[in-house]
Short mmCIF file of all heavy atoms in Angstrom, two decimals:
data_model
loop_
_atom_site.label_atom_id
_atom_site.label_comp_id
_atom_site.label_asym_id
_atom_site.label_seq_id
_atom_site.Cartn_x
_atom_site.Cartn_y
_atom_site.Cartn_z
N GLY A 1 -25.31 27.36 -42.18
CA GLY A 1 -24.70 28.20 -43.20
C GLY A 1 -23.70 27.41 -44.01
O GLY A 1 -23.50 26.21 -43.79
N SER A 2 -23.04 28.07 -44.95
CA SER A 2 -21.99 27.43 -45.72
C SER A 2 -20.75 27.25 -44.85
O SER A 2 -20.64 27.85 -43.77
CB SER A 2 -21.64 28.27 -46.95
OG SER A 2 -21.00 29.48 -46.54
N SER A 3 -19.80 26.45 -45.33
CA SER A 3 -18.56 26.28 -44.57
C SER A 3 -17.85 27.60 -44.37
O SER A 3 -17.35 27.90 -43.28
CB SER A 3 -17.63 25.28 -45.29
OG SER A 3 -18.14 23.97 -45.21
N ASP A 4 -17.83 28.44 -45.41
CA ASP A 4 -17.17 29.73 -45.29
C ASP A 4 -17.86 30.61 -44.25
O ASP A 4 -17.20 31.34 -43.49
CB ASP A 4 -17.13 30.44 -46.65
CG ASP A 4 -16.19 29.76 -47.63
OD1 ASP A 4 -15.29 29.03 -47.18
OD2 ASP A 4 -16.37 29.94 -48.85
N ASP A 5 -19.20 30.56 -44.20
CA ASP A 5 -19.93 31.31 -43.17
C ASP A 5 -19.50 30.86 -41.78
O ASP A 5 -19.28 31.67 -40.87
CB ASP A 5 -21.44 31.08 -43.31
CG ASP A 5 -22.02 31.70 -44.56
OD1 ASP A 5 -21.41 32.65 -45.08
OD2 ASP A 5 -23.08 31.22 -45.03
N LEU A 6 -19.41 29.53 -41.60
CA LEU A 6 -19.08 28.99 -40.27
C LEU A 6 -17.63 29.28 -39.91
O LEU A 6 -17.32 29.51 -38.74
CB LEU A 6 -19.36 27.49 -40.24
CG LEU A 6 -20.84 27.12 -40.45
CD1 LEU A 6 -21.03 25.61 -40.36
CD2 LEU A 6 -21.74 27.82 -39.44
N PHE A 7 -16.73 29.26 -40.90
CA PHE A 7 -15.34 29.62 -40.61
C PHE A 7 -15.26 31.04 -40.07
O PHE A 7 -14.50 31.32 -39.14
CB PHE A 7 -14.47 29.51 -41.88
CG PHE A 7 -14.25 28.10 -42.35
CD1 PHE A 7 -14.21 27.80 -43.69
CD2 PHE A 7 -14.06 27.07 -41.43
CE1 PHE A 7 -14.01 26.50 -44.12
CE2 PHE A 7 -13.85 25.77 -41.86
CZ PHE A 7 -13.83 25.48 -43.21
N GLU A 8 -16.04 31.94 -40.65
CA GLU A 8 -16.05 33.33 -40.18
C GLU A 8 -16.61 33.41 -38.77
O GLU A 8 -16.09 34.16 -37.93
CB GLU A 8 -16.87 34.20 -41.14
CG GLU A 8 -16.89 35.68 -40.77
CD GLU A 8 -15.49 36.28 -40.67
OE1 GLU A 8 -14.62 35.91 -41.48
OE2 GLU A 8 -15.27 37.13 -39.78
N LYS A 9 -17.65 32.64 -38.47
CA LYS A 9 -18.21 32.64 -37.12
C LYS A 9 -17.21 32.07 -36.12
O LYS A 9 -17.13 32.52 -34.97
CB LYS A 9 -19.51 31.83 -37.10
CG LYS A 9 -20.70 32.53 -37.76
CD LYS A 9 -21.95 31.68 -37.68
CE LYS A 9 -23.18 32.43 -38.15
NZ LYS A 9 -23.13 32.80 -39.58
N LEU A 10 -16.42 31.08 -36.54
CA LEU A 10 -15.38 30.53 -35.67
C LEU A 10 -14.29 31.57 -35.42
O LEU A 10 -13.83 31.76 -34.29
CB LEU A 10 -14.77 29.28 -36.30
CG LEU A 10 -15.61 28.00 -36.24
CD1 LEU A 10 -15.09 26.98 -37.25
CD2 LEU A 10 -15.59 27.40 -34.84
N ARG A 11 -13.88 32.27 -36.48
CA ARG A 11 -12.83 33.29 -36.34
C ARG A 11 -13.29 34.43 -35.43
O ARG A 11 -12.50 34.95 -34.64
CB ARG A 11 -12.44 33.84 -37.71
CG ARG A 11 -11.47 32.96 -38.49
CD ARG A 11 -10.91 33.70 -39.69
NE ARG A 11 -11.92 33.87 -40.71
CZ ARG A 11 -12.13 33.01 -41.71
NH1 ARG A 11 -11.39 31.90 -41.80
NH2 ARG A 11 -13.07 33.23 -42.61
N SER A 12 -14.57 34.80 -35.54
CA SER A 12 -15.07 35.93 -34.75
C SER A 12 -15.42 35.53 -33.32
O SER A 12 -15.66 36.40 -32.49
CB SER A 12 -16.30 36.53 -35.43
OG SER A 12 -17.37 35.62 -35.41
N GLY A 13 -15.46 34.22 -33.05
CA GLY A 13 -15.80 33.76 -31.71
C GLY A 13 -17.28 33.58 -31.46
O GLY A 13 -17.68 33.29 -30.33
N LEU A 14 -18.12 33.73 -32.50
CA LEU A 14 -19.55 33.52 -32.32
C LEU A 14 -19.85 32.06 -31.95
O LEU A 14 -20.80 31.78 -31.22
CB LEU A 14 -20.31 33.88 -33.59
CG LEU A 14 -20.49 35.37 -33.88
CD1 LEU A 14 -21.19 35.56 -35.21
CD2 LEU A 14 -21.27 36.05 -32.77
N ILE A 15 -19.09 31.14 -32.50
CA ILE A 15 -19.18 29.73 -32.15
C ILE A 15 -17.77 29.22 -31.93
O ILE A 15 -16.79 29.81 -32.40
CB ILE A 15 -19.88 28.89 -33.23
CG1 ILE A 15 -19.16 29.06 -34.58
CG2 ILE A 15 -21.34 29.25 -33.35
CD1 ILE A 15 -19.72 28.20 -35.69
N SER A 16 -17.64 28.11 -31.23
CA SER A 16 -16.32 27.50 -31.05
C SER A 16 -16.26 26.07 -31.58
O SER A 16 -15.20 25.48 -31.62
CB SER A 16 -15.90 27.53 -29.57
OG SER A 16 -16.91 27.00 -28.75
N LEU A 17 -17.44 25.53 -31.99
CA LEU A 17 -17.52 24.18 -32.53
C LEU A 17 -18.31 24.23 -33.84
O LEU A 17 -19.24 25.02 -33.97
CB LEU A 17 -18.23 23.23 -31.56
CG LEU A 17 -17.77 23.20 -30.11
CD1 LEU A 17 -18.71 22.30 -29.30
CD2 LEU A 17 -16.34 22.71 -29.99
N ALA A 18 -17.96 23.35 -34.79
CA ALA A 18 -18.71 23.33 -36.05
C ALA A 18 -18.44 22.03 -36.79
O ALA A 18 -17.42 21.37 -36.59
CB ALA A 18 -18.34 24.52 -36.93
N VAL A 19 -19.39 21.68 -37.66
CA VAL A 19 -19.18 20.63 -38.65
C VAL A 19 -19.15 21.32 -40.01
O VAL A 19 -20.11 22.01 -40.38
CB VAL A 19 -20.30 19.57 -38.62
CG1 VAL A 19 -20.09 18.54 -39.72
CG2 VAL A 19 -20.36 18.89 -37.26
N VAL A 20 -18.04 21.17 -40.74
CA VAL A 20 -17.83 21.86 -42.01
C VAL A 20 -17.38 20.83 -43.04
O VAL A 20 -17.16 19.66 -42.74
CB VAL A 20 -16.77 22.97 -41.88
CG1 VAL A 20 -17.21 24.03 -40.88
CG2 VAL A 20 -15.41 22.38 -41.46
N THR A 21 -17.23 21.29 -44.28
CA THR A 21 -16.67 20.43 -45.32
C THR A 21 -15.24 20.86 -45.62
O THR A 21 -14.89 22.04 -45.49
CB THR A 21 -17.50 20.49 -46.61
OG1 THR A 21 -17.63 21.86 -47.03
CG2 THR A 21 -18.89 19.91 -46.38
N ALA A 22 -14.41 19.90 -46.01
CA ALA A 22 -13.04 20.18 -46.38
C ALA A 22 -13.03 20.98 -47.69
O ALA A 22 -13.96 20.89 -48.48
CB ALA A 22 -12.27 18.87 -46.54
N PRO A 23 -11.96 21.77 -47.94
CA PRO A 23 -10.79 21.99 -47.08
C PRO A 23 -11.08 23.01 -45.99
O PRO A 23 -12.12 23.66 -46.00
CB PRO A 23 -9.75 22.53 -48.06
CG PRO A 23 -10.57 23.27 -49.08
CD PRO A 23 -11.84 22.47 -49.24
N TYR A 24 -10.13 23.14 -45.06
CA TYR A 24 -10.30 24.05 -43.94
C TYR A 24 -8.93 24.59 -43.54
O TYR A 24 -7.89 24.13 -44.03
CB TYR A 24 -10.94 23.33 -42.74
CG TYR A 24 -10.03 22.29 -42.10
CD1 TYR A 24 -9.38 22.56 -40.91
CD2 TYR A 24 -9.82 21.06 -42.70
CE1 TYR A 24 -8.53 21.63 -40.33
CE2 TYR A 24 -8.98 20.12 -42.14
CZ TYR A 24 -8.33 20.41 -40.95
OH TYR A 24 -7.49 19.49 -40.39
N ASP A 25 -8.91 25.58 -42.64
CA ASP A 25 -7.68 26.22 -42.19
C ASP A 25 -7.03 25.37 -41.10
O ASP A 25 -7.44 25.40 -39.94
CB ASP A 25 -8.00 27.63 -41.66
CG ASP A 25 -6.75 28.44 -41.35
OD1 ASP A 25 -5.68 27.82 -41.14
OD2 ASP A 25 -6.84 29.68 -41.29
N GLN A 26 -6.01 24.59 -41.47
CA GLN A 26 -5.37 23.69 -40.52
C GLN A 26 -4.54 24.43 -39.48
O GLN A 26 -4.19 23.86 -38.44
CB GLN A 26 -4.51 22.67 -41.26
CG GLN A 26 -5.32 21.80 -42.21
CD GLN A 26 -4.49 20.73 -42.88
OE1 GLN A 26 -3.61 20.13 -42.28
NE2 GLN A 26 -4.76 20.48 -44.16
#
């Protein structure tokens, strides 16, 4: 998915690891 999609999956706990593109929530 897009980086924003994966950030949402990280926030919801669906995944705990990801490769995304910058910028990100530090």
Side-chain angles (χ1 to χ4, degrees):
S2 68
S3 289
D4 290 338
D5 292 336
L6 297 181
F7 290 142
E8 182 57 37
K9 287 181 172 64
L10 285 163
R11 279 192 289 269
S12 67
L14 285 177
I15 56 176
S16 51
L17 310 174
V19 177
V20 299
T21 55
Y24 69 103
D25 188 338
Q26 299 184 38

